[in-house]
Amino acid sequence: MNDSLKVLAQSIDNTSKDIIDLVTKVDSFYNNAWQKLIIVGTVAFAIIGIALPLIIQWYQKKALSLSEELLKKEIESQVQQI
């Protein structure tokens, strides 16, 4: 009877250690996942919120200068026809 109580106590102790280890691993997993999500979100914001508007602005500026040149040429040709 005494030996069976020792075995039972040891198995409960081992089980509680396994449960604590499992909870620690799950906590570590979610903390790592959260940190990665924050990093990915920050990078996505940097690309979408900063780089994309700069690229769009550059494209619009280039398109505006091209249309301005075409308009100048058209005005000059209209003036020469008069």
Side-chain angles (χ1 to χ4, degrees):
M1 173 95 172
N2 195 11
D3 289 335
S4 64
L5 286 176
K6 274 187 178 179
V7 170
L8 182 61
Q10 287 175 350
S11 69
I12 290 173
D13 188 42
N14 288 339
T15 304
S16 67
K17 288 180 183 178
D18 290 341
I19 291 173
I20 290 173
D21 186 44
L22 178 64
V23 169
T24 304
K25 286 181 181 178
V26 169
D27 182 53
S28 174
F29 169 76
Y30 280 109
N31 283 334
N32 288 337
W34 182 250
Q35 289 173 356
K36 288 177 185 176
L37 178 65
I38 289 173
I39 290 170
V40 167
T42 303
V43 170
F45 173 74
I47 291 172
I48 293 171
I50 297 171
L52 190 60
L54 290 175
I55 292 170
I56 291 171
Q57 182 183 13
W58 172 78
Y59 175 75
Q60 286 177 340
K61 194 174 187 179
K62 190 165 188 110
L64 179 64
S65 67
L66 288 175
S67 65
E68 184 181 353
E69 288 295 323
L70 289 173
L71 183 61
K72 282 181 182 179
K73 288 179 183 178
E74 185 176 330
I75 290 173
E76 287 176 2
S77 69
Q78 291 291 329
V79 169
Q80 288 176 357
Q81 286 179 358
I82 295 179

